[in-house]
Amino acid sequence: MKVTDAEFVKAFCKMCKNGNAFGWHERNGGNLSYRIREDEVEHIKAQLHESDVWKEIGVSVPRLAGEYFLVTGSGKFFANVSDNPEENAGIIKIDEKGEKYSVVWGFLNGARPTSELPTHLMNHEVKKIYTDGRYRVIYHAHPANLIALTFVLPLEDKVFTRELWETMTECPVIFPKGVGVVKWMVPGGREIALATVEKMKEYDVTVWAHHGLFAAGEDFDMTFGLMHTVEKASEVLVKIMSMTGKRRQSITSDDFKSLGDAFGVVIPEKFL
Ligand code: 13P
Ligand code: ZN
């Protein structure tokens, strides 16, 4: 099977297109990665070129040894991924120690994986461990309303979680564990990866102050839906703050408890 005919490649391209249509990917902003299932690798194996060229990841991800990932390219525009996935994205394989990767498909004409590869892979590793292998997608975007909030709200997990939960009734059901916040850091590389993965041990979404958002999920739809929900809630909050600066009435801690009971999700006490 041609790599571009595989369902996971089509779903990856569709997600890039949808994220771009929402305006979350100016220029080369944002990046996406997918941990490919073994059976999916088997179907495309004949098209993959195993290579002797191994590059340092910059962090160690031993629990991802031997795994394959479809990843967007560094400096590549989400707008172009679906038209030409082989130039704007590629498939990498992780070595047996989890310290290096090699390109086995795509990244044509000198392209290389996203500069946020260390954060993506560390998040994949922690989610693989914490979800028994269920989670396969890590997504980074630059949604404007969420970014705007990082200039006016205290950069605290509790504040962001409560403020977003209170803007839309279904938020605590969609991200019951809450939202993590990482202070402003230099993007790309090890330091921001280490800070993000600490948050991702607890949350499925982590805010990067004055930069964007990381989301994790089991498939493309769930991960995109999570990004969309957080950004929609942020948009509502920006409107509330623009209109009045404060809420006249809101969703209360008792309401969150009732939501938890009704939808069967655990609402952490620390956010109530
Ligand atoms: P890349 O083009 O290297 O993926 O970087 C985009 C980005 O959003 C960095 O945080
Ligand atoms: Zn970014």
Side-chain angles (χ1 to χ4, degrees), residues 26 28-31 72-76 112-116 140 142 187-188 208 211 214:
E26 77 294 338
N28 65 310
N31 20 76
T72 50
S74 186
K76 300 298 182 185
R112 60 193 153 82
T114 171
S115 57
E116 306 294 1
H140 169 55
H142 294 175
W208 279 4
H211 182 150
F214 258 87

Side-chain angles (χ1 to χ4, degrees), residues 151-166:
F151 293 90
V152 296
L153 292 181
L155 299 174
E156 295 166 19
D157 301 358
K158 186 169 178 177
V159 174
F160 267 77
T161 300
R162 255 321 270 243
E163 289 286 350
L164 294 174
W165 277 4
E166 285 191 34

Side-chain angles (χ1 to χ4, degrees), residues 18-40:
N18 287 343
N20 186 62
F22 275 109
W24 303 337
H25 300 286
E26 77 294 338
R27 203 175 178 279
N28 65 310
N31 20 76
L32 175 63
S33 63
Y34 171 67
R35 186 166 58 84
I36 307 172
R37 292 200 320 260
E38 265 177 46
D39 60 300
E40 291 170 326

